[in-house]
PDB file of all heavy atoms in Angstrom:
ATOM      1  N   VAL R  69     -42.269 -94.605 -23.546  1.00  0.00           N
ATOM      2  CA  VAL R  69     -42.426 -93.222 -23.136  1.00  0.00           C
ATOM      3  C   VAL R  69     -41.681 -92.997 -21.820  1.00  0.00           C
ATOM      4  O   VAL R  69     -40.993 -91.975 -21.607  1.00  0.00           O
ATOM      5  CB  VAL R  69     -43.907 -92.831 -22.970  1.00  0.00           C
ATOM      6  CG1 VAL R  69     -44.055 -91.412 -22.411  1.00  0.00           C
ATOM      7  CG2 VAL R  69     -44.622 -92.962 -24.307  1.00  0.00           C
ATOM      8  N   GLU R  70     -41.766 -93.956 -20.909  1.00  0.00           N
ATOM      9  CA  GLU R  70     -41.041 -93.835 -19.622  1.00  0.00           C
ATOM     10  C   GLU R  70     -39.505 -93.722 -19.857  1.00  0.00           C
ATOM     11  O   GLU R  70     -38.873 -92.896 -19.236  1.00  0.00           O
ATOM     12  CB  GLU R  70     -41.361 -95.050 -18.741  1.00  0.00           C
ATOM     13  CG  GLU R  70     -42.771 -95.082 -18.239  1.00  0.00           C
ATOM     14  CD  GLU R  70     -43.196 -96.434 -17.702  1.00  0.00           C
ATOM     15  OE1 GLU R  70     -42.370 -97.393 -17.722  1.00  0.00           O
ATOM     16  OE2 GLU R  70     -44.371 -96.581 -17.297  1.00  0.00           O
ATOM     17  N   ASN R  71     -39.007 -94.573 -20.769  1.00  0.00           N
ATOM     18  CA  ASN R  71     -37.557 -94.490 -21.016  1.00  0.00           C
ATOM     19  C   ASN R  71     -37.149 -93.145 -21.595  1.00  0.00           C
ATOM     20  O   ASN R  71     -36.089 -92.610 -21.233  1.00  0.00           O
ATOM     21  CB  ASN R  71     -37.160 -95.589 -21.992  1.00  0.00           C
ATOM     22  CG  ASN R  71     -37.261 -96.981 -21.373  1.00  0.00           C
ATOM     23  OD1 ASN R  71     -37.161 -97.116 -20.171  1.00  0.00           O
ATOM     24  ND2 ASN R  71     -37.420 -98.007 -22.209  1.00  0.00           N
ATOM     25  N   LYS R  72     -38.027 -92.583 -22.449  1.00  0.00           N
ATOM     26  CA  LYS R  72     -37.713 -91.262 -23.011  1.00  0.00           C
ATOM     27  C   LYS R  72     -37.764 -90.199 -21.926  1.00  0.00           C
ATOM     28  O   LYS R  72     -36.874 -89.331 -21.829  1.00  0.00           O
ATOM     29  CB  LYS R  72     -38.694 -90.931 -24.131  1.00  0.00           C
ATOM     30  CG  LYS R  72     -38.615 -91.797 -25.345  1.00  0.00           C
ATOM     31  CD  LYS R  72     -37.253 -91.759 -25.996  1.00  0.00           C
ATOM     32  CE  LYS R  72     -36.941 -90.431 -26.658  1.00  0.00           C
ATOM     33  NZ  LYS R  72     -35.670 -90.434 -27.404  1.00  0.00           N
ATOM     34  N   LEU R  73     -38.808 -90.241 -21.063  1.00  0.00           N
ATOM     35  CA  LEU R  73     -38.940 -89.235 -20.022  1.00  0.00           C
ATOM     36  C   LEU R  73     -37.777 -89.302 -19.057  1.00  0.00           C
ATOM     37  O   LEU R  73     -37.285 -88.268 -18.540  1.00  0.00           O
ATOM     38  CB  LEU R  73     -40.244 -89.410 -19.265  1.00  0.00           C
ATOM     39  CG  LEU R  73     -41.525 -89.168 -20.027  1.00  0.00           C
ATOM     40  CD1 LEU R  73     -42.775 -89.481 -19.120  1.00  0.00           C
ATOM     41  CD2 LEU R  73     -41.626 -87.778 -20.582  1.00  0.00           C
ATOM     42  N   GLU R  74     -37.297 -90.504 -18.784  1.00  0.00           N
ATOM     43  CA  GLU R  74     -36.181 -90.665 -17.823  1.00  0.00           C
ATOM     44  C   GLU R  74     -34.856 -90.200 -18.412  1.00  0.00           C
ATOM     45  O   GLU R  74     -33.853 -90.127 -17.686  1.00  0.00           O
ATOM     46  CB  GLU R  74     -36.100 -92.141 -17.418  1.00  0.00           C
ATOM     47  CG  GLU R  74     -37.260 -92.498 -16.463  1.00  0.00           C
ATOM     48  CD  GLU R  74     -37.419 -93.981 -16.251  1.00  0.00           C
ATOM     49  OE1 GLU R  74     -36.580 -94.762 -16.778  1.00  0.00           O
ATOM     50  OE2 GLU R  74     -38.376 -94.394 -15.607  1.00  0.00           O
ATOM     51  N   GLU R  75     -34.841 -89.864 -19.706  1.00  0.00           N
ATOM     52  CA  GLU R  75     -33.630 -89.205 -20.287  1.00  0.00           C
ATOM     53  C   GLU R  75     -33.587 -87.737 -19.947  1.00  0.00           C
ATOM     54  O   GLU R  75     -32.506 -87.103 -20.092  1.00  0.00           O
ATOM     55  CB  GLU R  75     -33.650 -89.375 -21.802  1.00  0.00           C
ATOM     56  CG  GLU R  75     -33.500 -90.834 -22.283  1.00  0.00           C
ATOM     57  CD  GLU R  75     -33.612 -90.950 -23.810  1.00  0.00           C
ATOM     58  OE1 GLU R  75     -33.689 -89.863 -24.489  1.00  0.00           O
ATOM     59  OE2 GLU R  75     -33.605 -92.066 -24.307  1.00  0.00           O
ATOM     60  N   SER R  76     -34.676 -87.183 -19.487  1.00  0.00           N
ATOM     61  CA  SER R  76     -34.735 -85.745 -19.100  1.00  0.00           C
ATOM     62  C   SER R  76     -33.955 -85.556 -17.795  1.00  0.00           C
ATOM     63  O   SER R  76     -33.939 -86.386 -16.900  1.00  0.00           O
ATOM     64  CB  SER R  76     -36.195 -85.313 -18.887  1.00  0.00           C
ATOM     65  OG  SER R  76     -36.256 -84.071 -18.252  1.00  0.00           O
ATOM     66  N   GLN R  77     -33.297 -84.398 -17.721  1.00  0.00           N
ATOM     67  CA  GLN R  77     -32.556 -84.085 -16.514  1.00  0.00           C
ATOM     68  C   GLN R  77     -33.475 -83.826 -15.298  1.00  0.00           C
ATOM     69  O   GLN R  77     -32.997 -83.759 -14.162  1.00  0.00           O
ATOM     70  CB  GLN R  77     -31.682 -82.829 -16.734  1.00  0.00           C
ATOM     71  CG  GLN R  77     -32.484 -81.570 -17.046  1.00  0.00           C
ATOM     72  CD  GLN R  77     -31.623 -80.352 -17.162  1.00  0.00           C
ATOM     73  OE1 GLN R  77     -30.763 -80.117 -16.343  1.00  0.00           O
ATOM     74  NE2 GLN R  77     -31.887 -79.513 -18.213  1.00  0.00           N
ATOM     75  N   TRP R  78     -34.773 -83.701 -15.565  1.00  0.00           N
ATOM     76  CA  TRP R  78     -35.727 -83.373 -14.492  1.00  0.00           C
ATOM     77  C   TRP R  78     -36.392 -84.594 -13.905  1.00  0.00           C
ATOM     78  O   TRP R  78     -37.127 -84.492 -12.933  1.00  0.00           O
ATOM     79  CB  TRP R  78     -36.773 -82.384 -15.031  1.00  0.00           C
ATOM     80  CG  TRP R  78     -36.199 -81.235 -15.812  1.00  0.00           C
ATOM     81  CD1 TRP R  78     -36.400 -80.962 -17.121  1.00  0.00           C
ATOM     82  CD2 TRP R  78     -35.364 -80.198 -15.303  1.00  0.00           C
ATOM     83  NE1 TRP R  78     -35.719 -79.847 -17.485  1.00  0.00           N
ATOM     84  CE2 TRP R  78     -35.082 -79.341 -16.362  1.00  0.00           C
ATOM     85  CE3 TRP R  78     -34.795 -79.907 -14.036  1.00  0.00           C
ATOM     86  CZ2 TRP R  78     -34.266 -78.229 -16.250  1.00  0.00           C
ATOM     87  CZ3 TRP R  78     -33.977 -78.806 -13.920  1.00  0.00           C
ATOM     88  CH2 TRP R  78     -33.731 -77.961 -14.967  1.00  0.00           C
ATOM     89  N   VAL R  79     -36.166 -85.772 -14.500  1.00  0.00           N
ATOM     90  CA  VAL R  79     -36.875 -86.964 -14.119  1.00  0.00           C
ATOM     91  C   VAL R  79     -35.921 -88.076 -13.702  1.00  0.00           C
ATOM     92  O   VAL R  79     -34.981 -88.378 -14.435  1.00  0.00           O
ATOM     93  CB  VAL R  79     -37.792 -87.459 -15.256  1.00  0.00           C
ATOM     94  CG1 VAL R  79     -38.483 -88.759 -14.881  1.00  0.00           C
ATOM     95  CG2 VAL R  79     -38.807 -86.395 -15.652  1.00  0.00           C
ATOM     96  N   THR R  80     -36.158 -88.628 -12.495  1.00  0.00           N
ATOM     97  CA  THR R  80     -35.420 -89.820 -12.099  1.00  0.00           C
ATOM     98  C   THR R  80     -36.126 -91.099 -12.520  1.00  0.00           C
ATOM     99  O   THR R  80     -35.522 -91.991 -13.109  1.00  0.00           O
ATOM    100  CB  THR R  80     -35.252 -89.832 -10.554  1.00  0.00           C
ATOM    101  OG1 THR R  80     -34.458 -88.707 -10.188  1.00  0.00           O
ATOM    102  CG2 THR R  80     -34.507 -91.098 -10.089  1.00  0.00           C
ATOM    103  N   GLN R  81     -37.430 -91.186 -12.242  1.00  0.00           N
ATOM    104  CA  GLN R  81     -38.221 -92.316 -12.662  1.00  0.00           C
ATOM    105  C   GLN R  81     -39.593 -91.867 -13.102  1.00  0.00           C
ATOM    106  O   GLN R  81     -40.098 -90.795 -12.646  1.00  0.00           O
ATOM    107  CB  GLN R  81     -38.388 -93.330 -11.529  1.00  0.00           C
ATOM    108  CG  GLN R  81     -37.073 -94.054 -11.120  1.00  0.00           C
ATOM    109  CD  GLN R  81     -37.209 -94.816  -9.838  1.00  0.00           C
ATOM    110  OE1 GLN R  81     -37.583 -94.263  -8.805  1.00  0.00           O
ATOM    111  NE2 GLN R  81     -36.925 -96.100  -9.898  1.00  0.00           N
ATOM    112  N   ALA R  82     -40.182 -92.617 -14.015  1.00  0.00           N
ATOM    113  CA  ALA R  82     -41.525 -92.278 -14.541  1.00  0.00           C
ATOM    114  C   ALA R  82     -42.346 -93.544 -14.684  1.00  0.00           C
ATOM    115  O   ALA R  82     -41.834 -94.597 -15.032  1.00  0.00           O
ATOM    116  CB  ALA R  82     -41.412 -91.576 -15.897  1.00  0.00           C
ATOM    117  N   PHE R  83     -43.626 -93.393 -14.366  1.00  0.00           N
ATOM    118  CA  PHE R  83     -44.612 -94.506 -14.577  1.00  0.00           C
ATOM    119  C   PHE R  83     -45.777 -93.935 -15.344  1.00  0.00           C
ATOM    120  O   PHE R  83     -46.500 -93.045 -14.874  1.00  0.00           O
ATOM    121  CB  PHE R  83     -45.058 -95.035 -13.239  1.00  0.00           C
ATOM    122  CG  PHE R  83     -46.158 -96.051 -13.305  1.00  0.00           C
ATOM    123  CD1 PHE R  83     -46.045 -97.177 -14.083  1.00  0.00           C
ATOM    124  CD2 PHE R  83     -47.341 -95.845 -12.593  1.00  0.00           C
ATOM    125  CE1 PHE R  83     -47.095 -98.117 -14.167  1.00  0.00           C
ATOM    126  CE2 PHE R  83     -48.391 -96.776 -12.655  1.00  0.00           C
ATOM    127  CZ  PHE R  83     -48.228 -97.897 -13.478  1.00  0.00           C
ATOM    128  N   VAL R  84     -45.917 -94.426 -16.566  1.00  0.00           N
ATOM    129  CA  VAL R  84     -46.941 -93.871 -17.495  1.00  0.00           C
ATOM    130  C   VAL R  84     -48.141 -94.779 -17.594  1.00  0.00           C
ATOM    131  O   VAL R  84     -48.009 -96.018 -17.617  1.00  0.00           O
ATOM    132  CB  VAL R  84     -46.301 -93.654 -18.911  1.00  0.00           C
ATOM    133  CG1 VAL R  84     -47.357 -93.276 -19.946  1.00  0.00           C
ATOM    134  CG2 VAL R  84     -45.215 -92.588 -18.828  1.00  0.00           C
ATOM    135  N   PHE R  85     -49.328 -94.197 -17.685  1.00  0.00           N
ATOM    136  CA  PHE R  85     -50.558 -94.989 -17.760  1.00  0.00           C
ATOM    137  C   PHE R  85     -51.601 -94.182 -18.607  1.00  0.00           C
ATOM    138  O   PHE R  85     -51.397 -92.975 -18.861  1.00  0.00           O
ATOM    139  CB  PHE R  85     -51.152 -95.258 -16.367  1.00  0.00           C
ATOM    140  CG  PHE R  85     -51.225 -94.021 -15.512  1.00  0.00           C
ATOM    141  CD1 PHE R  85     -52.342 -93.240 -15.561  1.00  0.00           C
ATOM    142  CD2 PHE R  85     -50.197 -93.646 -14.682  1.00  0.00           C
ATOM    143  CE1 PHE R  85     -52.453 -92.059 -14.788  1.00  0.00           C
ATOM    144  CE2 PHE R  85     -50.254 -92.520 -13.890  1.00  0.00           C
ATOM    145  CZ  PHE R  85     -51.404 -91.740 -13.950  1.00  0.00           C
ATOM    146  N   GLY R  86     -52.649 -94.833 -18.968  1.00  0.00           N
ATOM    147  CA  GLY R  86     -53.689 -94.144 -19.751  1.00  0.00           C
ATOM    148  C   GLY R  86     -54.942 -95.061 -19.831  1.00  0.00           C
ATOM    149  O   GLY R  86     -54.951 -96.197 -19.401  1.00  0.00           O
ATOM    150  N   LYS R  87     -56.006 -94.465 -20.497  1.00  0.00           N
ATOM    151  CA  LYS R  87     -57.257 -95.189 -20.668  1.00  0.00           C
ATOM    152  C   LYS R  87     -57.804 -94.925 -22.065  1.00  0.00           C
ATOM    153  O   LYS R  87     -57.459 -93.919 -22.711  1.00  0.00           O
ATOM    154  CB  LYS R  87     -58.302 -94.708 -19.646  1.00  0.00           C
ATOM    155  CG  LYS R  87     -58.001 -95.176 -18.204  1.00  0.00           C
ATOM    156  CD  LYS R  87     -59.149 -94.835 -17.288  1.00  0.00           C
ATOM    157  CE  LYS R  87     -60.378 -95.721 -17.582  1.00  0.00           C
ATOM    158  NZ  LYS R  87     -61.445 -95.441 -16.578  1.00  0.00           N
ATOM    159  N   SER R  88     -58.616 -95.819 -22.542  1.00  0.00           N
ATOM    160  CA  SER R  88     -59.176 -95.706 -23.895  1.00  0.00           C
ATOM    161  C   SER R  88     -60.187 -94.558 -23.992  1.00  0.00           C
ATOM    162  O   SER R  88     -60.645 -94.255 -25.109  1.00  0.00           O
ATOM    163  CB  SER R  88     -59.860 -97.019 -24.308  1.00  0.00           C
ATOM    164  OG  SER R  88     -60.918 -97.318 -23.367  1.00  0.00           O
ATOM    165  N   THR R  89     -60.569 -93.968 -22.889  1.00  0.00           N
ATOM    166  CA  THR R  89     -61.541 -92.859 -22.882  1.00  0.00           C
ATOM    167  C   THR R  89     -60.827 -91.503 -22.735  1.00  0.00           C
ATOM    168  O   THR R  89     -61.482 -90.484 -22.546  1.00  0.00           O
ATOM    169  CB  THR R  89     -62.543 -93.025 -21.765  1.00  0.00           C
ATOM    170  OG1 THR R  89     -61.817 -93.280 -20.514  1.00  0.00           O
ATOM    171  CG2 THR R  89     -63.456 -94.212 -22.006  1.00  0.00           C
ATOM    172  N   ALA R  90     -59.509 -91.478 -22.859  1.00  0.00           N
ATOM    173  CA  ALA R  90     -58.720 -90.217 -22.798  1.00  0.00           C
ATOM    174  C   ALA R  90     -57.789 -90.170 -23.982  1.00  0.00           C
ATOM    175  O   ALA R  90     -57.364 -91.184 -24.511  1.00  0.00           O
ATOM    176  CB  ALA R  90     -58.000 -90.128 -21.498  1.00  0.00           C
ATOM    177  N   ARG R  91     -57.410 -88.984 -24.428  1.00  0.00           N
ATOM    178  CA  ARG R  91     -56.559 -88.877 -25.585  1.00  0.00           C
ATOM    179  C   ARG R  91     -55.114 -88.617 -25.230  1.00  0.00           C
ATOM    180  O   ARG R  91     -54.262 -88.549 -26.118  1.00  0.00           O
ATOM    181  CB  ARG R  91     -57.040 -87.724 -26.500  1.00  0.00           C
ATOM    182  CG  ARG R  91     -56.992 -86.346 -25.857  1.00  0.00           C
ATOM    183  CD  ARG R  91     -57.390 -85.327 -26.891  1.00  0.00           C
ATOM    184  NE  ARG R  91     -57.410 -83.987 -26.300  1.00  0.00           N
ATOM    185  CZ  ARG R  91     -57.681 -82.905 -27.016  1.00  0.00           C
ATOM    186  NH1 ARG R  91     -57.967 -82.961 -28.308  1.00  0.00           N
ATOM    187  NH2 ARG R  91     -57.671 -81.689 -26.438  1.00  0.00           N
ATOM    188  N   ASN R  92     -54.795 -88.456 -23.929  1.00  0.00           N
ATOM    189  CA  ASN R  92     -53.445 -88.278 -23.486  1.00  0.00           C
ATOM    190  C   ASN R  92     -53.126 -89.228 -22.347  1.00  0.00           C
ATOM    191  O   ASN R  92     -54.023 -89.755 -21.698  1.00  0.00           O
ATOM    192  CB  ASN R  92     -53.175 -86.852 -22.970  1.00  0.00           C
ATOM    193  CG  ASN R  92     -53.386 -85.809 -24.051  1.00  0.00           C
ATOM    194  OD1 ASN R  92     -54.476 -85.266 -24.167  1.00  0.00           O
ATOM    195  ND2 ASN R  92     -52.353 -85.494 -24.770  1.00  0.00           N
ATOM    196  N   VAL R  93     -51.824 -89.470 -22.145  1.00  0.00           N
ATOM    197  CA  VAL R  93     -51.434 -90.299 -21.032  1.00  0.00           C
ATOM    198  C   VAL R  93     -51.208 -89.425 -19.779  1.00  0.00           C
ATOM    199  O   VAL R  93     -51.093 -88.200 -19.864  1.00  0.00           O
ATOM    200  CB  VAL R  93     -50.099 -91.046 -21.320  1.00  0.00           C
ATOM    201  CG1 VAL R  93     -50.302 -92.030 -22.462  1.00  0.00           C
ATOM    202  CG2 VAL R  93     -48.972 -90.073 -21.649  1.00  0.00           C
ATOM    203  N   GLY R  94     -51.175 -90.062 -18.649  1.00  0.00           N
ATOM    204  CA  GLY R  94     -50.803 -89.444 -17.362  1.00  0.00           C
ATOM    205  C   GLY R  94     -49.541 -90.118 -16.880  1.00  0.00           C
ATOM    206  O   GLY R  94     -49.133 -91.128 -17.412  1.00  0.00           O
ATOM    207  N   ALA R  95     -48.962 -89.563 -15.813  1.00  0.00           N
ATOM    208  CA  ALA R  95     -47.696 -90.150 -15.317  1.00  0.00           C
ATOM    209  C   ALA R  95     -47.511 -89.825 -13.849  1.00  0.00           C
ATOM    210  O   ALA R  95     -47.901 -88.786 -13.354  1.00  0.00           O
ATOM    211  CB  ALA R  95     -46.516 -89.653 -16.138  1.00  0.00           C
ATOM    212  N   VAL R  96     -46.866 -90.807 -13.149  1.00  0.00           N
ATOM    213  CA  VAL R  96     -46.311 -90.587 -11.840  1.00  0.00           C
ATOM    214  C   VAL R  96     -44.835 -90.316 -12.063  1.00  0.00           C
ATOM    215  O   VAL R  96     -44.140 -91.137 -12.698  1.00  0.00           O
ATOM    216  CB  VAL R  96     -46.524 -91.780 -10.914  1.00  0.00           C
ATOM    217  CG1 VAL R  96     -45.832 -91.521  -9.557  1.00  0.00           C
ATOM    218  CG2 VAL R  96     -48.015 -92.038 -10.705  1.00  0.00           C
ATOM    219  N   ILE R  97     -44.319 -89.193 -11.549  1.00  0.00           N
ATOM    220  CA  ILE R  97     -42.930 -88.823 -11.781  1.00  0.00           C
ATOM    221  C   ILE R  97     -42.215 -88.698 -10.450  1.00  0.00           C
ATOM    222  O   ILE R  97     -42.684 -88.087  -9.500  1.00  0.00           O
ATOM    223  CB  ILE R  97     -42.878 -87.445 -12.515  1.00  0.00           C
ATOM    224  CG1 ILE R  97     -43.602 -87.493 -13.857  1.00  0.00           C
ATOM    225  CG2 ILE R  97     -41.470 -86.972 -12.648  1.00  0.00           C
ATOM    226  CD1 ILE R  97     -42.932 -88.355 -14.871  1.00  0.00           C
ATOM    227  N   VAL R  98     -41.015 -89.282 -10.437  1.00  0.00           N
ATOM    228  CA  VAL R  98     -40.095 -89.059  -9.334  1.00  0.00           C
ATOM    229  C   VAL R  98     -39.104 -88.018  -9.796  1.00  0.00           C
ATOM    230  O   VAL R  98     -38.292 -88.296 -10.690  1.00  0.00           O
ATOM    231  CB  VAL R  98     -39.303 -90.376  -8.935  1.00  0.00           C
ATOM    232  CG1 VAL R  98     -38.330 -90.063  -7.805  1.00  0.00           C
ATOM    233  CG2 VAL R  98     -40.304 -91.485  -8.533  1.00  0.00           C
ATOM    234  N   PRO R  99     -39.209 -86.778  -9.262  1.00  0.00           N
ATOM    235  CA  PRO R  99     -38.330 -85.706  -9.770  1.00  0.00           C
ATOM    236  C   PRO R  99     -36.860 -85.967  -9.473  1.00  0.00           C
ATOM    237  O   PRO R  99     -36.503 -86.639  -8.479  1.00  0.00           O
ATOM    238  CB  PRO R  99     -38.849 -84.496  -9.016  1.00  0.00           C
ATOM    239  CG  PRO R  99     -40.207 -84.854  -8.502  1.00  0.00           C
ATOM    240  CD  PRO R  99     -40.142 -86.301  -8.254  1.00  0.00           C
ATOM    241  N   SER R 100     -36.011 -85.441 -10.293  1.00  0.00           N
ATOM    242  CA  SER R 100     -34.549 -85.604 -10.108  1.00  0.00           C
ATOM    243  C   SER R 100     -34.063 -84.536  -9.082  1.00  0.00           C
ATOM    244  O   SER R 100     -34.753 -83.541  -8.807  1.00  0.00           O
ATOM    245  CB  SER R 100     -33.826 -85.368 -11.433  1.00  0.00           C
ATOM    246  OG  SER R 100     -33.963 -84.010 -11.831  1.00  0.00           O
ATOM    247  N   PRO R 101     -32.878 -84.783  -8.526  1.00  0.00           N
ATOM    248  CA  PRO R 101     -32.308 -83.761  -7.624  1.00  0.00           C
ATOM    249  C   PRO R 101     -32.166 -82.409  -8.277  1.00  0.00           C
ATOM    250  O   PRO R 101     -32.309 -81.351  -7.632  1.00  0.00           O
ATOM    251  CB  PRO R 101     -30.946 -84.374  -7.272  1.00  0.00           C
ATOM    252  CG  PRO R 101     -31.137 -85.860  -7.393  1.00  0.00           C
ATOM    253  CD  PRO R 101     -32.084 -86.001  -8.541  1.00  0.00           C
ATOM    254  N   ALA R 102     -31.872 -82.414  -9.609  1.00  0.00           N
ATOM    255  CA  ALA R 102     -31.744 -81.111 -10.331  1.00  0.00           C
ATOM    256  C   ALA R 102     -33.036 -80.338 -10.328  1.00  0.00           C
ATOM    257  O   ALA R 102     -33.062 -79.109 -10.144  1.00  0.00           O
ATOM    258  CB  ALA R 102     -31.306 -81.372 -11.771  1.00  0.00           C
ATOM    259  N   PHE R 103     -34.163 -81.097 -10.463  1.00  0.00           N
ATOM    260  CA  PHE R 103     -35.457 -80.402 -10.456  1.00  0.00           C
ATOM    261  C   PHE R 103     -35.758 -79.867  -9.089  1.00  0.00           C
ATOM    262  O   PHE R 103     -36.275 -78.721  -8.927  1.00  0.00           O
ATOM    263  CB  PHE R 103     -36.572 -81.403 -10.868  1.00  0.00           C
ATOM    264  CG  PHE R 103     -37.931 -80.799 -10.888  1.00  0.00           C
ATOM    265  CD1 PHE R 103     -38.383 -80.061 -11.943  1.00  0.00           C
ATOM    266  CD2 PHE R 103     -38.793 -80.982  -9.773  1.00  0.00           C
ATOM    267  CE1 PHE R 103     -39.652 -79.524 -11.957  1.00  0.00           C
ATOM    268  CE2 PHE R 103     -40.062 -80.446  -9.806  1.00  0.00           C
ATOM    269  CZ  PHE R 103     -40.515 -79.712 -10.880  1.00  0.00           C
ATOM    270  N   MET R 104     -35.492 -80.641  -8.033  1.00  0.00           N
ATOM    271  CA  MET R 104     -35.725 -80.186  -6.678  1.00  0.00           C
ATOM    272  C   MET R 104     -34.885 -78.974  -6.327  1.00  0.00           C
ATOM    273  O   MET R 104     -35.326 -78.085  -5.653  1.00  0.00           O
ATOM    274  CB  MET R 104     -35.477 -81.345  -5.704  1.00  0.00           C
ATOM    275  CG  MET R 104     -36.403 -82.521  -5.904  1.00  0.00           C
ATOM    276  SD  MET R 104     -38.153 -82.090  -5.927  1.00  0.00           S
ATOM    277  CE  MET R 104     -38.393 -81.345  -4.322  1.00  0.00           C
ATOM    278  N   GLU R 105     -33.672 -78.973  -6.819  1.00  0.00           N
ATOM    279  CA  GLU R 105     -32.796 -77.827  -6.571  1.00  0.00           C
ATOM    280  C   GLU R 105     -33.351 -76.587  -7.256  1.00  0.00           C
ATOM    281  O   GLU R 105     -33.331 -75.484  -6.733  1.00  0.00           O
ATOM    282  CB  GLU R 105     -31.383 -78.151  -7.055  1.00  0.00           C
ATOM    283  CG  GLU R 105     -30.369 -77.020  -6.785  1.00  0.00           C
ATOM    284  CD  GLU R 105     -29.000 -77.388  -7.247  1.00  0.00           C
ATOM    285  OE1 GLU R 105     -28.765 -78.575  -7.604  1.00  0.00           O
ATOM    286  OE2 GLU R 105     -28.102 -76.514  -7.249  1.00  0.00           O
ATOM    287  N   LEU R 106     -33.818 -76.786  -8.495  1.00  0.00           N
ATOM    288  CA  LEU R 106     -34.423 -75.695  -9.227  1.00  0.00           C
ATOM    289  C   LEU R 106     -35.581 -75.091  -8.499  1.00  0.00           C
ATOM    290  O   LEU R 106     -35.773 -73.876  -8.456  1.00  0.00           O
ATOM    291  CB  LEU R 106     -34.900 -76.194 -10.626  1.00  0.00           C
ATOM    292  CG  LEU R 106     -35.673 -75.202 -11.482  1.00  0.00           C
ATOM    293  CD1 LEU R 106     -34.750 -74.093 -11.941  1.00  0.00           C
ATOM    294  CD2 LEU R 106     -36.280 -75.946 -12.698  1.00  0.00           C
ATOM    295  N   MET R 107     -36.423 -75.965  -7.904  1.00  0.00           N
ATOM    296  CA  MET R 107     -37.642 -75.479  -7.229  1.00  0.00           C
ATOM    297  C   MET R 107     -37.445 -75.054  -5.804  1.00  0.00           C
ATOM    298  O   MET R 107     -38.313 -74.420  -5.222  1.00  0.00           O
ATOM    299  CB  MET R 107     -38.712 -76.592  -7.265  1.00  0.00           C
ATOM    300  CG  MET R 107     -39.367 -76.723  -8.604  1.00  0.00           C
ATOM    301  SD  MET R 107     -40.152 -75.185  -9.137  1.00  0.00           S
ATOM    302  CE  MET R 107     -41.325 -74.880  -7.814  1.00  0.00           C
ATOM    303  N   GLU R 108     -36.310 -75.314  -5.221  1.00  0.00           N
ATOM    304  CA  GLU R 108     -36.123 -75.061  -3.768  1.00  0.00           C
ATOM    305  C   GLU R 108     -36.371 -73.596  -3.466  1.00  0.00           C
ATOM    306  O   GLU R 108     -37.118 -73.246  -2.513  1.00  0.00           O
ATOM    307  CB  GLU R 108     -34.700 -75.462  -3.353  1.00  0.00           C
ATOM    308  CG  GLU R 108     -34.485 -75.343  -1.858  1.00  0.00           C
ATOM    309  CD  GLU R 108     -33.141 -75.818  -1.445  1.00  0.00           C
ATOM    310  OE1 GLU R 108     -32.422 -76.415  -2.284  1.00  0.00           O
ATOM    311  OE2 GLU R 108     -32.774 -75.637  -0.294  1.00  0.00           O
ATOM    312  N   GLY R 109     -35.765 -72.699  -4.207  1.00  0.00           N
ATOM    313  CA  GLY R 109     -35.887 -71.261  -3.992  1.00  0.00           C
ATOM    314  C   GLY R 109     -37.312 -70.790  -4.229  1.00  0.00           C
ATOM    315  O   GLY R 109     -37.862 -69.965  -3.503  1.00  0.00           O
ATOM    316  N   ARG R 110     -37.956 -71.330  -5.303  1.00  0.00           N
ATOM    317  CA  ARG R 110     -39.310 -70.900  -5.636  1.00  0.00           C
ATOM    318  C   ARG R 110     -40.324 -71.347  -4.534  1.00  0.00           C
ATOM    319  O   ARG R 110     -41.183 -70.561  -4.164  1.00  0.00           O
ATOM    320  CB  ARG R 110     -39.729 -71.521  -6.966  1.00  0.00           C
ATOM    321  CG  ARG R 110     -38.826 -71.062  -8.123  1.00  0.00           C
ATOM    322  CD  ARG R 110     -39.454 -71.459  -9.425  1.00  0.00           C
ATOM    323  NE  ARG R 110     -38.512 -71.223 -10.530  1.00  0.00           N
ATOM    324  CZ  ARG R 110     -38.847 -71.315 -11.829  1.00  0.00           C
ATOM    325  NH1 ARG R 110     -40.096 -71.643 -12.141  1.00  0.00           N
ATOM    326  NH2 ARG R 110     -38.005 -71.094 -12.771  1.00  0.00           N
ATOM    327  N   VAL R 111     -40.176 -72.543  -4.066  1.00  0.00           N
ATOM    328  CA  VAL R 111     -41.089 -73.026  -3.055  1.00  0.00           C
ATOM    329  C   VAL R 111     -40.932 -72.199  -1.763  1.00  0.00           C
ATOM    330  O   VAL R 111     -41.924 -71.829  -1.125  1.00  0.00           O
ATOM    331  CB  VAL R 111     -40.871 -74.535  -2.760  1.00  0.00           C
ATOM    332  CG1 VAL R 111     -41.668 -74.968  -1.549  1.00  0.00           C
ATOM    333  CG2 VAL R 111     -41.279 -75.333  -3.988  1.00  0.00           C
ATOM    334  N   ALA R 112     -39.700 -71.857  -1.426  1.00  0.00           N
ATOM    335  CA  ALA R 112     -39.476 -71.063  -0.216  1.00  0.00           C
ATOM    336  C   ALA R 112     -40.129 -69.708  -0.378  1.00  0.00           C
ATOM    337  O   ALA R 112     -40.725 -69.219   0.543  1.00  0.00           O
ATOM    338  CB  ALA R 112     -37.971 -70.918   0.005  1.00  0.00           C
ATOM    339  N   GLY R 113     -40.030 -69.129  -1.562  1.00  0.00           N
ATOM    340  CA  GLY R 113     -40.664 -67.840  -1.813  1.00  0.00           C
ATOM    341  C   GLY R 113     -42.185 -67.886  -1.715  1.00  0.00           C
ATOM    342  O   GLY R 113     -42.833 -67.023  -1.154  1.00  0.00           O
TER     343      GLY R 113
END
């Protein structure tokens, strides 16, 4: 899953984890420069 997520233009690195008591995984994501550029204007607003 990490390898697939890291193919996204929005993700530089991903760390995926989960538990047997949940039905979905969670992730720690290092956003890509493209994502940060996308959000720069929005965060300023």
Side-chain angles (χ1 to χ4, degrees):
V69 176
E70 290 164 2
N71 290 336
K72 295 299 292 185
L73 294 178
E74 288 167 3
E75 293 176 5
S76 166
Q77 63 174 315
W78 313 115
V79 177
T80 296
Q81 291 170 303
F83 173 55
V84 172
F85 51 87
K87 290 187 70 175
S88 60
T89 49
R91 63 177 179 177
N92 298 91
V93 296
V96 176
I97 300 292
V98 179
S100 68
F103 180 82
M104 297 308 300
E105 183 178 350
L106 173 69
M107 280 304 299
E108 186 176 352
R110 299 192 188 188
V111 171

